[in-house]
Amino acid sequence: MARPRVRLVVTADDFGYCPRRDEGIVEAFLAGAVTSVSLLVNGAAAESAAELARRHRIPTGLHANLSEGLPVGPARHGVSSLLGPEGFFLGKMGFRKAVAAGDVVLTQVREELEAQLSRFRELLGRDPTHVDGHQHVHVLPGVCQVFAEALQTCGVSFTRLPLERGVGGCAWLEAPARSFASAVERDARAAMGPFAHHGLRWTDAFVGLSTCGRHMSAHRVSGALARALEGIPMSHAPTAELMTHPGYPSVPPAGGCGEGPDAFSCSWERLHELRVLTAPALRAQLAKDGVELCALDNLDSKRPQEETPGEAILETFLEPSPP
C-alpha cells in the first residue's frame, strides 16, 4: 500500500529580525518555497515585517522570544529573572542554564508571552496562525507548561514540536550543534504531555535541526523527512514541518532584537538556505518523494473524521511519566 502524500509546511523563522532577512523571506514565499512565517515581535523590523505580511497575505505566527534582545512586557521596566544586568534576555544558552537552575520565575515567563501575543495582535490585527519558540525555548521544562497554558487561554492551538527523528546520528553536524539538537529533541519529547493536555496541535513530523544553514540541501531535506516519517501511521496523509532560516545576510548595525544582529544572521548561510529553497532541485525532489507544500490553514481545514495533527504520533513518541 502506497503512503498517502505528505503535506509539508515550510516555515521561515525570525521574520522581523532585519529588512534584508525579511526581503529574502518574502522572496521565498512569493516563489512558493515558503508557506508560513514566524514573526519576532521584538525584532528591529517587526513593524515593516507585519506590513509585508499584510500586503502579501503571508500566513504568520508568533516566534515567541525569551532568549534574545529586549522584552516587550513588564520586564522591560524593572528587574526580572528573564534579564541580565544590561536589561537584555539571557541568551540562547544563558536562558537554558537559568531554567535548569530554577532561577527563572515562570509567572514572569507567562507575562512576557502574553505581552508578545498582545503585541502581535497590535501589529497584525489578528491572532497568530501558530506560536513557536525562538531557539526552541518553548519546549524547555517548566516553560512548556506555561507556554501551553498561555496559548490555550488566548485560543491559539497550533505550535511546533521540534522533535526530529535521528538528529543525534547526523554526522555532518558539528559536535556542539548535534549536542544542542539532541537536547532540543529530548525537551520536545517531554513537552508533548503538557502540550496535549492543553489542547495544542502540531504536525506529525518535524525537520530542520539537521538541515540548518550550510547543512541544507535537497538531498538532506529529503532524507530528514524520510527519517521523520518512519513509524508514522498510514491511516491519513501525514503532515510535517520544515523549519528554515532564509534571507539576505544582515549588515550591522541594522537588525537584531535590540542588541544588533548575531553572527549567523550576518553569515552567508542564510543566503544558502534561500537559494536551496528556491532552486528547482528541492521542488523536484519533494515532488518525487510525494510531498506537497501547504499552509497551516490547509492543515486546520482537515475533515472532522481525520486525526488531529500530532495526535497520530503522540503514543509513538510519548514516554511514560516517571512515578
Side-chain angles (χ1 to χ4, degrees):
M1 177 181 174
R3 175 182 284 279
R5 288 182 66 85
V6 178
R7 291 178 293 173
L8 178 67
V9 176
V10 182
T11 306
D13 285 2
D14 304 337
F15 198 47
Y17 196 85
C18 86
R20 285 177 54 81
R21 288 279 303 287
D22 297 343
E23 179 186 351
I25 289 172
V26 171
E27 182 179 316
F29 174 78
L30 295 177
V34 159
T35 64
S36 176
V37 300
S38 290
L39 175 68
L40 285 162
V41 296
N42 72 333
E47 292 188 7
S48 59
E51 172 57 31
L52 289 169
R54 289 192 297 269
R55 183 189 315 164
H56 298 291
R57 299 183 179 180
I58 304 174
T60 305
L62 171 65
H63 204 41
N65 185 2
L66 300 170
S67 57
E68 182 180 357
L70 292 166
V72 301
R76 191 178 185 115
H77 307 291
V79 177
S80 170
S81 67
L82 306 180
L83 308 179
E86 303 301 318
F88 296 109
F89 285 132
L90 300 171
K92 176 180 175 179
M93 301 312 296
F95 182 69
R96 284 172 160 77
K97 291 177 182 177
V99 169
D103 294 335
V104 170
V105 178
L106 293 179
T107 55
Q108 294 173 346
V109 169
R110 176 70 179 262
E111 289 172 349
E112 180 61 26
L113 289 172
E114 290 174 344
Q116 292 188 21
L117 284 161
S118 178
R119 178 60 176 154
F120 183 97
R121 295 188 191 99
E122 291 174 2
L123 290 168
L124 273 297
R126 60 166 176 79
D127 287 332
T129 58
H130 64 279
V131 182
D132 53 38
H134 185 49
Q135 298 170 339
H136 310 294
V137 295
H138 67 303
V139 296
L140 291 173
V143 175
C144 66
Q145 177 74 27
V146 174
F147 174 84
E149 292 171 357
L151 265 60
Q152 184 180 47
T153 298
C154 75
V156 176
S157 61
F158 223 105
T159 190
R160 168 186 294 165
L161 189 79
L163 198 167
E164 181 174 342
R165 273 180 178 266
V167 71
C170 295
W172 60 85
L173 293 177
E174 298 83 357
R178 190 162 62 248
S179 176
F180 177 75
S182 297
V184 170
E185 182 188 19
R186 289 192 299 271
D187 289 337
R189 192 182 300 273
M192 293 179 77
F195 282 5
H197 178 74
H198 290 281
L200 299 189
R201 310 169 69 199
W202 55 88
T203 54
D204 295 322
F206 166 85
V207 295
L209 292 170
S210 67
T211 59
C212 187
R214 74 188 71 180
H215 302 299
M216 180 178 282
S217 68
H219 174 73
R220 282 180 176 158
V221 169
S222 175
L225 272 172
R227 287 192 304 275
L229 292 165
E230 289 177 1
I232 302 297
M234 295 177 59
S235 57
H236 71 294
T239 61
E241 179 185 14
L242 170 61
M243 174 188 70
T244 70
H245 304 85
Y248 293 100
S250 302
V251 178
C257 299
E259 300 174 276
D262 62 17
F264 185 33
S265 186
C266 297
S267 77
W268 59 270
E269 296 189 56
R270 302 290 193 175
L271 182 57
H272 173 74
E273 287 201 27
L274 175 61
R275 288 174 172 166
V276 171
L277 288 168
T278 56
L282 178 58
R283 192 71 59 88
Q285 183 64 56
L286 292 175
K288 181 180 177 182
D289 295 341
V291 175
E292 60 179 349
L293 271 56
C294 67
L296 277 172
D297 289 348
N298 299 132
L299 301 188
D300 280 334
S301 63
K302 294 174 70 175
R303 295 187 299 274
Q305 65 265 32
E306 293 189 64
E307 287 122 335
T308 298
E311 288 182 353
I313 60 166
L314 186 58
E315 292 186 3
T316 304
F317 285 117
L318 190 58
E319 298 174 347
S321 301

